[in-house]
Amino acid sequence: MYKKIIGLAVSSLSKLYNTIKYEVLPYRKITVIQMPIIDVCNSHCFMCNIWKNKEIYRATPADYEKILADPLLKDVAAVGLNGGEPTMRKDLLEIARVLLAKLKKLKSVNIITNGIQGEDSFEVLSALDKYFKKNGIKFDISVSLDGDDVTHDLNRGTAGNYASATSLIKKLKKNGLNVWIGGTITKRNLFSADDIAIFAKENKLDYFEIRMGVDIKRLNNEGFFNNEGFTEDEKFHVVQFFQGMYYQTKNYFYYSLFRQLAYGEKRTAGCHWRNGGVTLDSQGQLSFCSVQSPMIGNCLKEDASEIFKKNISVRESIKQKSCDECMHDLTGPMSIKNLLEFFRKGFGRLIKIFRLHFGIKCLNLLPATVYKSKTDYAKLQDAKTMIITGWWGTETQGDKAILGELIDFINKKSPKLEKFYLTVYEDMEYVVEKTIKELGETGVVDVSRYAGTIPIANFHQSDEFKEANFIFIGGGPLERIAELVYIEKAFRHARKRGKGTFIFGCGIDPILLEYKKIIASIIANSDKMFFRDKQSAVYATSLVKNLPLPYYACDPAFNFVKKWRDKRASLKDRNGLATLIRANTGEYLVGDSENKINSQNENHVRDLATFLSGIDRPINFLSMNNIWIGSDDRLFNRRIIKNIDNKKLIEKHEHRYMGLNELLENIYESKFVLATRYHAHIFSLALGLPFLSIDYTGKGNKIENLLVGAAYPSSLSVSWNELSTQKLKGSFNELVTNYNNIEKSCNDISLRLTSNLEKIYEKFE
């Protein structure tokens, strides 16, 4: 903990120093040069037009010797060599010698290559590495990689480029060179962006970088970004991808880009080229940044210092007009305004974390909670404004279905309802907006009264809370999440002010640890409640003294999916298997090390792949969660598919984002389901589809509780800890043999559970 605080302090001081040096002090040195040393290319990239160029002039090492001797460049410490394709030059080593001879403060050199030349590139890069290392200069190589084999070659416009690039990366790594990968996201490869990160991890690369394909003057691609025309789902995928990249890497550029894409905000990431960098092209022409700057002069005809001095107003104009909108991955010191805002937000988050954990400790000091029944509770039929709290902004497809059912419930129970709000995690508003739209598209629920989101942090202090007549919690269990402190405060304050409070079909995590008293307080301050299973209802009575056994039925998502199904015609001639699989996490493998969990996941990847290779029917790989938070199931699917022998069995594997309605349609078209996630079981039962269960939650937890309560055959469920190819085969064979009986049983269960839930609804007014 202390090490993290010290590290954060050092990092903050470094940011402050660089901002003062490059953004505040009047004298600013040029310390970085971007050098496109060739203006032609052997690739045909979708986002770049350099390959269409006809080379006019190629500066020689002697030319660079003259240019780099200019006083403007005497403080340069870092150089980036790129192109076109720089390894097409035969004089790279000579250029390297010029850099060392003329740039006396040089500390690091980077080169970007597409890897097309393979072995030839390796030889020249190895020579450069040897030379720079001998002279104490840090040298690193960035190889462009834009996704899997098919996607990369499509984006780069060159067949076989993936094979040559990945071969080069592996050889460079094996021979001890400092290599990393850089990917560019366009409409052609956006759903394969995760494959870039996967490749880096699998090949133990220390660093990787992923950027948006944007307009860059140097690449002659004006209008490219706006012409991309991302669909809503494509944009959503890109937004959540870059948000996930930030949390994975802590690279602030990704956070800035995420906010730009999601909310149209101004860029807050820093950039060396605002004050401390220039670009020198292969003709000797000077510009400020490669993205927006025009060529301001030719250093072979005029001194770089004079060109720079005469055109300083051009740079200031770019800073005023273009920097705020720039999405390029050029990085560097933040402006003083953005740095102060960065510190303010960071400090605010630290305070929130401290208060949350302090709140948990304080609530644990309270005496045991006693339930006091209340007779003058608020009436649903009179409610005009409601707040739905929970873990919104992090929802899986199952959580969306819960929300849809809850909204349908309040629409029917509250005829005077004018509006409802959802609480949301910081930065996750875009997810909730997408969820609401998807729910409307299902045709099951009217979402027209949705009025927007409220930050979950201390939402009991908001104007919306003051106005609200009812506070609901729904979507997911009451579990070990620190933000429960905010929900507890809201329920306690609502109860005092005569507002209605309702626990809507939640479960209770059986491993609550220090959260027991918080959840007990939420239960004790609830006017109305029902739980998703008997075990949760019984557990609630053990947490709160004098609490009568609450109502319980089934997960509300069940009813929503059943309503969706009832609007569809029955399907015949089904044959395929829909997989709804996830990797396991420490949430249910409590006490296991991360290495042990990862190893078990990898073993089960092989078990699942072997099993699926032998089922001899079409497989549709689907995902119950396809955003970065909560473990994106698409990534686990990729790992399984990689190990499947007979790829012809794979009817569908979606890298792309899939909304709730489309997911339900794909599941419904299948004959069997392989279910891991809890709501994969719910969806299968509600759709009347026989399924093979993989219980990742363990004995006495939510999946076992669901299957026991539904009277689903226990022989069709395999425990995660006992999962093997053989057990999967045995259970699946039973599923196939007894299909008709099991299908009838699923339909009977569906009718029984939804009927029970509707009876529970009748008890609330």
Side-chain angles (χ1 to χ4, degrees):
M1 179 68 170
Y2 291 115
K3 285 183 180 179
K4 285 185 178 180
I5 293 172
I6 292 169
L8 185 62
V10 171
S11 173
S12 298
L13 287 172
S14 175
K15 284 183 172 68
L16 182 60
Y17 169 78
N18 285 318
T19 291
I20 291 171
K21 182 178 178 181
Y22 291 102
E23 292 281 341
V24 178
L25 295 179
Y27 177 64
R28 296 152 183 170
K29 302 173 182 178
I30 299 301
T31 58
V32 184
I33 310 177
Q34 181 179 185
M35 289 180 63
I37 56 175
I38 189 169
D39 204 29
V40 291
C41 192
N42 53 0
S43 186
H44 305 82
C45 298
F46 176 53
M47 58 286 186
C48 174
N49 291 321
I50 282 182
W51 57 275
K52 297 178 181 178
N53 289 350
K54 291 184 178 179
E55 196 169 31
I56 298 170
Y57 179 78
R58 184 183 298 185
T60 66
D63 291 332
Y64 286 123
E65 195 167 359
K66 172 184 179 296
I67 295 168
L68 298 177
D70 191 282
L72 176 71
L73 308 175
K74 65 184 177 64
D75 294 300
V76 167
V79 172
L81 302 175
N82 52 43
E85 174 49 43
T87 63
M88 290 173 69
R89 289 195 66 140
K90 304 300 182 185
D91 54 1
L92 271 176
L93 204 53
E94 292 176 59
I95 292 173
R97 293 191 181 102
V98 172
L99 293 178
L100 249 70
K102 295 301 175 182
L103 303 176
K104 302 300 183 183
K105 296 185 180 181
L106 186 66
K107 294 180 180 178
S108 67
V109 176
N110 164 260
I111 189 168
I112 299 174
T113 177
N114 57 33
I116 287 176
Q117 297 189 112
E119 191 65 33
D120 291 342
S121 293
F122 176 77
E123 295 302 325
V124 70
L125 293 170
S126 296
L128 287 171
D129 181 71
K130 186 176 179 181
Y131 177 73
F132 283 124
K133 278 182 179 174
K134 180 181 175 182
N135 288 278
I137 304 297
K138 180 180 180 290
F139 179 62
D140 60 273
I141 303 153
S142 171
V143 182
S144 300
L145 197 69
D146 289 349
D148 61 22
D149 51 354
V150 174
T151 309
H152 174 83
D153 288 358
L154 179 67
N155 208 39
R156 294 286 166 174
T158 306
N161 187 188
Y162 178 87
S164 62
T166 53
S167 176
L168 177 62
I169 293 164
K170 291 173 182 177
K171 191 167 184 179
L172 291 168
K173 174 75 175 173
K174 182 180 178 181
N175 284 272
L177 279 74
N178 186 18
V179 60
W180 51 278
I181 56 177
T184 302
I185 303 304
T186 72
K187 192 177 178 72
R188 290 186 177 186
N189 74 324
L190 61 98
F191 291 117
S192 193
D194 287 295
D195 293 307
I196 304 168
I198 290 169
F199 181 90
K201 185 176 180 181
E202 288 180 347
N203 289 275
K204 296 181 171 57
L205 300 180
D206 295 331
Y207 183 70
F208 64 94
E209 193 173 276
I210 303 175
R211 62 189 72 89
M212 281 297 298
V214 296
D215 296 11
I216 300 175
K217 283 187 181 293
R218 189 177 68 79
L219 305 187
N220 306 319
N221 68 347
E222 189 174 357
F224 172 79
F225 184 75
N226 288 331
N227 291 338
E228 282 277 72
F230 288 131
T231 66
E232 184 181 321
D233 283 353
E234 288 170 344
K235 183 180 177 183
F236 180 84
H237 178 82
V238 170
V239 166
Q240 65 85 29
F241 171 77
F242 280 113
Q243 186 185 26
M245 281 291 293
Y246 169 66
Y247 282 95
Q248 181 180 345
T249 66
K250 300 305 177 187
N251 181 341
Y252 184 76
F253 166 74
Y254 293 129
Y255 182 77
S256 172
L257 180 58
F258 151 67
R259 295 291 304 187
Q260 285 180 277
L261 291 166
Y263 303 114
E265 293 184 357
K266 294 178 180 179
R267 177 188 176 111
T268 53
C271 177
H272 270 296
W273 279 261
R274 281 174 53 86
N275 292 304
V278 291
T279 303
L280 177 65
D281 80 358
S282 61
Q283 297 178 50
Q285 297 180 113
L286 192 69
S287 59
F288 293 108
C289 72
S290 61
V291 183
Q292 287 292 336
S293 176
M295 297 300 171
I296 57 175
N298 193 309
C299 300
L300 294 174
K301 299 176 181 178
E302 189 177 2
D303 290 345
S305 296
E306 288 303 312
I307 295 171
F308 185 87
K309 195 183 301 180
K310 286 191 304 187
N311 288 279
I312 204 73
S313 62
V314 175
R315 185 176 70 179
E316 295 308 305
S317 176
I318 292 169
K319 286 160 66 174
Q320 291 296 319
K321 295 178 181 178
S322 303
C323 287
D324 285 346
E325 311 305 322
C326 180
M327 295 184 186
H328 196 278
D329 64 331
L330 295 176
T331 58
M334 290 181 179
S335 69
I336 189 68
K337 177 185 174 184
N338 288 333
L339 182 66
L340 291 175
E341 180 64 13
F342 171 79
F343 285 154
R344 186 192 69 78
K345 282 188 173 180
F347 184 71
R349 289 190 186 107
L350 285 175
I351 293 297
K352 280 181 186 177
I353 292 168
F354 172 79
R355 285 177 173 169
L356 277 174
H357 290 284
F358 182 73
I360 292 168
K361 290 185 182 297
C362 288
L363 284 165
N364 277 312
L365 296 175
L366 296 176
T369 309
V370 179
Y371 183 74
K372 296 178 181 177
S373 61
K374 188 177 179 184
T375 55
D376 58 339
Y377 52 78
K379 304 284 186 184
L380 284 166
Q381 62 189 18
D382 297 325
K384 294 182 178 180
T385 303
M386 296 185 179
I387 293 175
I388 301 171
T389 189
W391 318 124
W392 305 116
T394 68
E395 54 265 24
T396 64
Q397 303 282 23
D399 297 324
K400 293 175 190 177
I402 293 173
L403 179 60
E405 179 64 11
L406 201 167
I407 295 170
D408 197 44
F409 175 84
I410 63 176
N411 283 342
K412 291 172 179 174
K413 289 286 185 176
S414 305
K416 297 177 184 177
L417 182 67
E418 296 174 358
K419 54 189 170 181
F420 65 88
Y421 299 91
L422 268 69
T423 64
V424 64
Y425 278 79
E426 183 179 13
D427 291 329
M428 304 304 290
E429 294 86 352
Y430 75 100
V431 176
V432 172
E433 297 298 327
K434 187 80 170 70
T435 292
I436 291 294
K437 184 167 185 181
E438 287 180 24
L439 289 173
E441 289 169 351
T442 63
V444 175
V445 60
D446 174 13
V447 295
S448 62
R449 294 176 182 85
Y450 169 67
T453 59
I454 316 164
I456 192 171
N458 295 314
F459 73 94
H460 69 286
Q461 297 173 349
S462 67
D463 290 337
E464 291 86 354
F465 182 84
K466 293 172 186 173
E467 182 187 4
N469 309 113
F470 253 92
I471 315 298
F472 280 79
I473 179 170
L478 302 174
E479 56 185 325
R480 292 160 282 154
I481 297 177
E483 282 76 10
L484 271 174
V485 170
Y486 299 136
I487 297 172
E488 188 278 335
K489 285 181 184 177
F491 269 54
R492 186 157 33 90
H493 282 267
R495 189 73 178 264
K496 287 178 182 176
R497 298 180 189 181
K499 300 176 186 292
T501 50
F502 201 139
I503 297 174
F504 189 82
C506 295
I508 303 179
D509 181 354
I511 311 170
L512 290 179
L513 304 175
E514 71 269 32
Y515 290 90
K516 280 187 178 181
K517 288 191 175 180
I518 299 172
I519 291 173
S521 178
I522 293 172
I523 295 168
N525 283 293
S526 298
D527 293 330
K528 300 174 175 61
M529 69 186 87
F530 75 92
F531 292 93
R532 71 183 179 196
D533 52 44
K534 182 178 180 180
Q535 290 80 2
S536 295
V538 171
Y539 191 18
T541 63
S542 73
L543 295 173
V544 181
K545 287 184 177 180
N546 300 337
L547 177 70
L549 182 66
Y551 299 123
Y552 58 89
C554 64
D555 190 290
F558 209 113
N559 222 26
F560 182 86
V561 177
K562 179 66 166 56
K563 291 172 186 174
W564 182 93
R565 177 192 175 188
D566 290 344
K567 289 177 175 288
R568 269 80 185 164
S570 298
L571 295 180
K572 297 180 180 179
D573 302 322
R574 294 166 165 159
N575 185 40
L577 170 73
T579 73
L580 298 167
I581 316 171
R582 65 163 293 169
N584 214 340
T585 65
E587 182 183 0
Y588 292 101
L589 299 173
V590 179
D592 286 358
S593 68
E594 185 177 349
N595 285 339
K596 182 178 179 181
I597 293 169
N598 290 339
S599 176
Q600 190 180 48
N601 279 331
E602 200 54 44
N603 289 336
H604 289 345
V605 161
R606 290 188 286 272
D607 292 329
L608 287 160
T610 304
F611 160 66
L612 291 170
S613 295
I615 66 167
D616 195 29
R617 62 183 68 243
I619 307 169
N620 190 351
F621 281 89
L622 303 172
S623 306
M624 290 297 292
N625 187 50
N626 48 17
I627 60 174
W628 68 272
I629 195 166
S631 182
D632 188 336
D633 297 341
R634 292 173 296 181
L635 305 187
F636 196 58
N637 284 344
R638 280 168 164 86
R639 292 160 64 185
I640 297 168
I641 288 168
K642 189 175 180 181
N643 286 274
I644 288 180
D645 296 329
N646 186 3
K647 299 288 195 295
K648 291 180 180 178
L649 290 173
I650 301 168
E651 185 174 71
K652 183 179 288 187
H653 168 225
E654 295 291 4
H655 283 203
R656 67 185 177 86
Y657 176 83
M658 185 181 286
L660 177 59
N661 199 58
E662 189 179 1
L663 174 71
L664 288 168
E665 287 172 349
N666 274 272
I667 300 171
Y668 194 47
E669 289 168 0
S670 303
K671 186 171 185 177
F672 306 93
V673 178
L674 179 59
T676 304
R677 283 193 183 267
Y678 175 71
H679 281 103
H681 295 72
I682 298 283
F683 281 25
S684 302
L685 282 169
L687 293 172
L689 293 175
F691 61 93
L692 172 55
S693 164
I694 299 175
D695 183 356
Y696 75 102
T697 62
K699 191 164 182 62
N701 219 308
K702 58 184 178 181
I703 290 178
E704 184 180 74
N705 293 343
L706 169 67
L707 298 180
V708 170
Y712 194 76
S714 60
S715 56
L716 300 179
S717 181
V718 178
S719 165
W720 179 267
N721 287 326
E722 297 175 357
L723 192 150
S724 68
T725 301
Q726 213 54 40
K727 287 197 172 185
L728 289 169
K729 282 182 178 177
S731 293
F732 188 70
N733 287 338
E734 180 184 341
L735 190 66
V736 173
T737 303
N738 299 315
Y739 183 84
N740 290 335
N741 289 335
I742 296 168
E743 182 183 37
K744 182 180 182 304
S745 176
C746 284
N747 284 311
D748 291 343
I749 291 168
S750 179
L751 288 170
R752 173 167 53 84
L753 293 182
T754 52
S755 174
N756 289 346
L757 189 58
E758 290 292 346
K759 288 176 183 176
I760 294 296
Y761 287 171
E762 292 172 4
K763 298 180 183 296
F764 301 113
E765 57 181 23

